Amino acid sequence: MTWLAAQPQGIPLPKPSELSAPHWEAAKNGELRVQRCENGHYVFIPLPACNYCWSTKLEWVKTSGKGTLYSMSIVYRPQTPAFQIPYVVGIMEMEEGWFIMSNVINAELENVKIGMPLKVTFTKMSDDIALPYFEPA
Ligand SMILES: [Zn+2]
């Protein structure tokens, strides 16, 4: 069995932009926030306009952090040696109907299956960044 843990300190971290800063600020407070347009569409990754209806009236809303594993890949050759392998990159389908890519952790690799229920969990990596990972719900 292979235990999937959060990545260690020292991996490359996201650099929040003006557009994505609200997402990362919320993550520091243990909240998974996403943009939602005036017509109810969820927008992720952060964009200046809704990619369904082009509305520029977007707000950052708190989400449940619950979803299921939609797709996955097991990584054995990381981008830098700082990453512990293997790790699972997943695309999570969130219960509000939007998608996010992250890692699946706190699970045995052999038990990670498409469709499994997951919930967000945050790992503080620096004063500015807490990474949203997903673990079995
Ligand atoms: Zn929209």
Side-chain angles (χ1 to χ4, degrees), residues 51-72:
N51 50 356
Y52 298 98
C53 70
W54 300 108
S55 169
T56 55
K57 290 186 179 155
L58 299 163
E59 62 176 342
W60 285 93
V61 296
K62 185 179 174 183
T63 67
S64 70
K66 296 176 185 169
T68 57
L69 184 58
Y70 178 79
S71 182
M72 64 177 277

Side-chain angles (χ1 to χ4, degrees), residues 8-12 80 82 125:
Q9 299 291 327
I11 61 169
T80 82
M125 300 300 287

Side-chain angles (χ1 to χ4, degrees), residues 37-41 43 50-55:
C37 82
E38 62 183 328
N39 294 313
H41 303 125
V43 178
C50 175
N51 50 356
Y52 298 98
C53 70
W54 300 108
S55 169

Side-chain angles (χ1 to χ4, degrees), residues 37-121:
C37 82
E38 62 183 328
N39 294 313
H41 303 125
Y42 289 90
V43 178
F44 195 83
I45 57 174
L47 294 171
C50 175
N51 50 356
Y52 298 98
C53 70
W54 300 108
S55 169
T56 55
K57 290 186 179 155
L58 299 163
E59 62 176 342
W60 285 93
V61 296
K62 185 179 174 183
T63 67
S64 70
K66 296 176 185 169
T68 57
L69 184 58
Y70 178 79
S71 182
M72 64 177 277
S73 181
I74 303 168
V75 177
Y76 291 97
R77 296 183 65 184
Q79 290 182 327
T80 82
F83 288 87
Q84 282 188 343
I85 57 168
Y87 62 92
V88 171
V89 175
I91 297 175
M92 274 53 73
E93 182 173 15
M94 304 309 295
E95 68 177 11
E96 297 89 359
W98 59 288
F99 294 83
I100 183 172
M101 185 184 293
S102 180
N103 291 7
V104 177
I105 66 167
N106 297 337
E108 299 285 356
L109 174 63
E110 295 78 3
N111 293 337
V112 175
K113 306 285 184 220
I114 300 296
M116 70 186 291
L118 297 167
K119 61 182 170 59
V120 72
T121 179

